[in-house]
Amino acid sequence: MTTPAAPPRTSATGTPHTRREGRAKVTGEARYAADIPFAELAHGWLVTSTVARGRIRSIDADAVLAMPGVLAVLHHGNALRLTPGAGVMGPDANLQLLQDDRVPHVGWPVALVVAETQEQAREGADALVITYDEEPHDTAFRADHPGLRPTTPSPLAMPDVDQGDPDAELAASAVVVDREYTTPEEFHNAMEPHAAMARWENGRLEVVDSNQGSYAVAQVLAKLFSLDADKVRVRSEHVGGGFGSKGLRLPHAVLAAMATTVLHRPVRVVLTRRQMFSLVGHRPATAQRVRLGADADGRLRVLEHETASATSTVHEYAEQSTRHSRILYAADAFRLRTRVVPLDVPTPSFMRAPGWTPGSFAVESAMDELAAEVGVDPIALRIRNEPEVGPVSGLPFSSRNLVGCLEEGARRFGWADRDPRPGVRRDGRWLLGTGVASSAHSAGVGASTAAITAEADGTFTVRVTAADIGTGARTALSQIAADALDVSPGSVRIRIADSDFGPAWLAGGSMGTASWAWAITEAAVALRKKLADVIDVPPEGITAGADTTELLGAREQRESHGYGAQFAEVAVDPLSGEVRVRRMLGIFAVGRVVNPLTARSQLVGGMTWGLSMALHEEGARDDVSGGLANGDLAGYHVAANADVPVIEADWVEDHDTYNPSGIKGLGEIGIVGGAAAIANAVWHATGVRHRHLPISLDRVLNGGRR
């Protein structure tokens, strides 16, 4: 009798899986950086400057040191000297904390009070008297600021582009749209504040942190404190949101490490919500000019995009808002410029889809204005300008299905029934309108390492310095490993977020899962080769590892991006100025989707943030004090449940072999284009164009003016 063959195992990837840590999170079993107990733990409370520019004249530390429980007051006069030049992506002066008496902005760290309890540390910090020699400050951003200058060349800088003859193409254009758009300061507030515990353990500096890349943080701390790289270990098992804020800015970790070195006992530092508004980066204010020259049918002859953003005097960060212009549409000529205005403000940093998000608002709004000028449907206009290769680079696309996103989205949204005339649809007191915008985001891969151990009990342990910042990365990686090993996901144990596991790309740039997946897949191939000749796995297991550095370097250059189309329907009350988003739909082309459950959650979350950007978020800086007037969640408005309508997110086929895993990161593309789709819908509802975000009540009543 012939034994029937076992049925083929169903692929783990592409099927929905609940988060592995989900139960632990909702029951409180999952512990974040500020939750984990340590023996003899001391607590640090950060003191920040109250002036926008100047020098520290004096610090009355003696009075605070006499308070109950206070162990130390660290400041520029007694702090450890840090090694200059450290940073996650190049030297970052924001990490040189308590090194001199200079104050570059409101909220700059000027002291750390360490005490037996958090309450004692806070009381000591509140009592610390610091006097300053104030200097005149400048915190007001504007496009015509006299300090406007080109960006400093660096690996992260976005180079200017002069391609073709923009002036001649403009002169030959039948239609020219020349508009200016602005976006305000915006702030990411992860649910979990930044926190870190540092201690010396067996001759090594150990840090339990909330971050987006434990290996990168360990390398930075080693350099700052002049330690060998193997003398620093950083762990970050559970992270309650990051959005870019926990990728580069590490004041909590640096000061905790400094304090534990001085006191010889574990020290934990947790930032307050208000401190997060000044210490962990934010999206800077931008002013953008877009000029589109087109033939009478809407075909682009020239695309000009000039953008300026605020930066600080501490460290230059330039919002790369011309990213969107380099990849979305074909044109005969391009002129792209990126400029910065140094101000006495906290240093901006990466914030979900940096550059892409504000850039998409400007360009996609301008494309909508062009469609109205030439009398072409906004979707047809975008498809008409679809490029065959990278518009600026000339490189082939790894894959591109923006047209599929637009067409499928139009079908599902009911776009064909849309009356193109603005201001004609009503529902009682409400004016109704619909809008569309294209989305894109880079889909890169970073070099990473991973190791897999075949255990004696038949299970497998994967070790990779990945970070799960709430995206479901831990679950997705278990699915990828299971398929690579040809076992069920239940046989795979995932260990992440420990710098001892080796180099790996951080959770940023929508590159995390794609980068880690490639390393895991290569490690699985190596392990299966080792196991082919093994009869019994020894008690210690059999391990194989992989490093994708050489594989990554051998790839030919291509334009690798995810794409999407966002649709929105809004209702506007012209008497009150109220804007309500009634529904949103996003259709995306994001390569191989590993876990539809968590992927859809990420896309919907990004679209919700796009709604919040369109209607609510705006940092209000007081020019007199130089600080934020709304630097907390009581004054800084974000979309709440009542603001969020039915949001649908889905995807179309997008087969991409450029990355062997076929994955295009989708953590950020959901926010790109969302604000523009809503702004375009508001125009369709009212006939009034809003070029300045957010679209607040007063701006609606003021006809779109600032």
Side-chain angles (χ1 to χ4, degrees), residues 45 53 86 121 213 256 288 412 533 560 569 595 678:
W45 196 276
R53 182 183 176 93
Q288 304 176 62
R412 291 177 53 168
D533 299 323
S560 182
E569 180 178 15
N595 188 344
I678 291 170

Side-chain angles (χ1 to χ4, degrees), residues 81-268:
R81 297 299 95 185
L82 300 174
T83 303
V88 176
M89 294 185 178
D92 186 351
N94 287 286
L95 298 175
Q96 297 296 312
L97 300 173
L98 310 185
Q99 298 299 288
D100 57 45
D101 63 353
R102 185 170 69 98
V103 175
H105 61 76
V106 171
W108 176 254
V110 292
L112 183 75
V113 177
V114 187
E116 295 286 354
T117 69
Q118 190 174 67
E119 293 77 12
Q120 290 170 331
R122 179 175 185 173
E123 186 176 3
D126 289 343
L128 187 65
V129 176
I130 302 177
T131 57
Y132 302 92
D133 290 322
E134 290 191 61
E135 300 171 3
H137 65 264
D138 181 8
T139 60
F141 170 75
R142 62 183 194 274
D144 61 349
H145 193 286
L148 181 73
R149 61 168 175 77
T151 59
T152 303
S154 75
L156 294 177
M158 186 63 63
D160 290 347
V161 171
D162 288 283
Q163 190 167 295
D165 191 336
D167 294 328
E169 296 296 342
L170 274 173
S173 296
V175 180
V176 174
V177 170
D178 188 347
R179 301 287 187 266
E180 294 184 0
Y181 306 87
T182 67
T183 61
E185 286 183 285
E186 297 165 359
F187 296 85
H188 34 29
N189 274 274
M191 186 176 293
E192 177 207 15
H194 295 56
M197 184 287 308
R199 65 177 179 177
W200 284 93
E201 187 77 5
N202 299 322
R204 301 179 77 195
L205 176 63
E206 180 184 9
V207 177
V208 176
D209 186 26
S210 178
N211 65 51
Q212 295 178 225
S214 293
Y215 185 82
V217 172
Q219 298 300 299
V220 170
L221 292 176
K223 185 167 185 177
L224 278 173
F225 291 93
S226 299
L227 300 170
D228 293 337
D230 62 356
K231 295 298 183 183
V232 181
R233 182 189 186 191
V234 176
R235 294 182 290 132
S236 185
E237 184 174 356
H238 293 291
V239 180
F243 312 114
S245 71
K246 294 177 181 174
L248 302 181
R249 297 293 147 77
L250 317 169
H252 54 298
V254 173
L255 293 175
M258 184 182 291
T260 193
T261 303
V262 171
L263 294 174
H264 307 291
R265 60 185 287 186
V267 177
R268 176 180 288 148

Side-chain angles (χ1 to χ4, degrees), residues 46 193-196 251-252 269-276 279-280:
L46 191 59
H194 295 56
H252 54 298
V269 176
V270 182
L271 299 188
T272 67
R273 183 64 61 183
R274 181 170 285 275
Q275 288 169 350
M276 288 172 60
L279 291 178
V280 300

